Amino acid sequence: MKQFSLVNKVVVVTGAAGLLGRNHVQAIADAGGIPVLIDIDALNMKSVIEEFESKFGIEFSHFVVDITDENQVKVCCENILQKYGHIDGLVNNAANNPKIETNGVNEQSRLENFSINSWQADISVGLTGAFICTKYFGTAIALQGGSIVNISSDLGLIAPDQRLYEKHGLAPGNQPVKPVTYSVVKTGLIGLSRYTATYWAKQGVRCNSLCPGGVENSQDPSFVAKLTSLIPLGRMARQNEYQGSLIFLLSDASTYITGTELVADGGRTAW
Ligand SMILES: NC(=O)c1ccc[n+]([C@@H]2O[C@H](COP(=O)([O-])OP(=O)(O)OC[C@H]3O[C@@H](n4cnc5c(N)ncnc54)[C@H](O)[C@@H]3O)[C@@H](O)[C@H]2O)c1
């Protein structure tokens, strides 16, 4: 199991206070690594840090940073390098992640109505933020080699099935949809992974996309029934079910894997 170890590896996780981010952090710590948490949400960050520090009995480095602000990321990177002297991994995980299935986002999510502001906000976090983090943390990783994982989605590979989000009694033009930006951001990250993987290959930087399927999170049962009927394994993912894939991609267990996608979707894209 030694090749799965992250001992002494400093791994930056963006969106670390979110649903999956905290699971990534836990997995990195369990593998012996040093996770560095980044999130814009100071309140959630505080509760995640309290939980981890009481669980592991050690301090966790964390930064309240807006990844769309280049200067904030630059300063954060300098602070991490000053503290540890190296950065070995990056998980580009932060994104605007609209929970249409629970919040019932209204018809403003539809392509015909989607505002330029919403477009820019989603692209800004999901793509520009990932680029800025790659620029600073990736450059640090390229000094000695390491691994970058971009968190894409099954929806980076297939189009959203908008029938999943249909609400009974609404006219077709008023039905909520998964916004266009989700597909664009998640597909764009796959391109970013390929670019980075080849750009820094000689520097020993590997870069891959992890494409998770939907995660159980108290969604409406009718949504869950519709979605799981599209998944060969017949269920959504559990919240900790991407931890093994992430550690695999970050660690020496995947030293010959770069520029590709690890699809963890219960088989949805095979159907
Ligand atoms: N949850 C799922 O079912 C699922 C499925 C496939 C892929 N994904 C992907 O996994 C990733 C995490 O999803 P999640 O469900 O944990 O989402 P989440 O909304 O729970 O977490 C996202 C985190 O990103 C942070 N964030 C947003 N803007 C930021 C900014 N400008 N700077 C720094 N941090 C910022 C938020 O504060 C939040 O804590 C996303 O990229 C998402 O697209 C999620």
Side-chain angles (χ1 to χ4, degrees):
M1 297 307 285
K2 232 173 77 187
Q3 54 187 336
F4 290 90
S5 167
L6 293 180
V7 169
N8 293 328
K9 304 278 187 210
V10 175
V11 183
V12 175
V13 180
T14 70
L19 178 74
L20 288 184
R22 62 187 74 185
N23 280 284
H24 302 331
V25 169
Q26 160 122 33
I28 293 161
D30 282 341
I34 304 164
V36 178
L37 292 77
I38 290 181
D39 205 290
I40 197 172
D41 186 333
L43 211 64
N44 268 347
M45 178 72 100
K46 190 167 176 287
S47 77
V48 168
I49 289 295
E50 280 169 5
E51 183 193 321
F52 281 129
E53 293 193 337
S54 77
K55 190 182 268 175
F56 287 89
I58 50 166
E59 276 189 21
F60 279 71
S61 289
H62 57 284
F63 296 85
V64 175
V65 162
D66 177 353
I67 58 160
T68 69
D69 182 326
E70 180 165 6
N71 198 48
Q72 287 188 33
V73 174
K74 182 173 181 277
V75 171
C76 173
C77 186
E78 286 163 1
N79 285 331
I80 297 169
L81 286 173
Q82 202 167 32
K83 179 162 183 186
Y84 296 107
H86 54 100
I87 299 175
D88 309 282
L90 167 65
V91 184
N92 274 319
N93 168 76
N96 286 345
N97 196 16
K99 307 283 189 298
I100 296 131
E101 54 281 9
T102 40
N103 297 345
V105 172
N106 64 25
E107 69 279 3
Q108 295 310 313
S109 59
R110 297 189 68 79
L111 182 67
E112 298 86 341
N113 305 332
F114 203 63
S115 71
I116 293 293
N117 281 349
S118 301
W119 169 271
Q120 280 169 342
D122 291 348
I123 299 292
S124 180
V125 179
L127 285 182
T128 312
F131 156 67
I132 293 173
C133 289
T134 301
K135 176 173 170 180
Y136 288 94
F137 304 125
T139 299
I141 294 169
L143 295 175
Q144 79 286 310
S147 172
I148 299 174
V149 180
N150 291 322
I151 305 297
S152 176
S153 167
D154 53 359
L155 299 185
L157 302 167
I158 55 172
D161 185 340
Q162 306 293 5
R163 294 170 299 180
L164 293 173
Y165 311 103
E166 274 174 12
K167 293 268 181 285
H168 188 65
L170 288 180
N174 292 334
Q175 289 290 347
V177 293
K178 195 81 164 175
V180 60
T181 40
Y182 201 72
S183 289
V184 171
V185 165
K186 295 294 142 185
T187 307
L189 285 175
I190 292 174
L192 179 65
S193 297
R194 291 186 187 133
Y195 188 97
T196 311
T198 51
Y199 187 81
W200 279 324
K202 286 205 169 72
Q203 283 79 4
V205 180
R206 294 183 299 107
C207 182
N208 295 287
S209 303
L210 177 57
C211 298
V215 178
E216 289 168 357
N217 191 22
S218 314
Q219 289 94 342
D220 185 84
S222 70
F223 167 80
V224 175
K226 279 193 276 183
L227 175 56
T228 53
S229 74
L230 301 176
I231 299 173
L233 288 186
R235 62 177 180 81
M236 296 180 74
R238 292 182 279 272
Q239 296 184 9
N240 63 0
E241 226 164 1
Y242 301 118
Q243 292 182 321
S245 306
L246 180 73
I247 298 309
F248 172 66
L249 290 177
L250 285 173
S251 69
D252 287 351
S254 60
T255 43
Y256 201 53
I257 297 181
T258 197
T260 191
E261 301 84 50
L262 197 169
V263 184
D265 66 351
R268 183 175 174 191
T269 54
W271 243 349

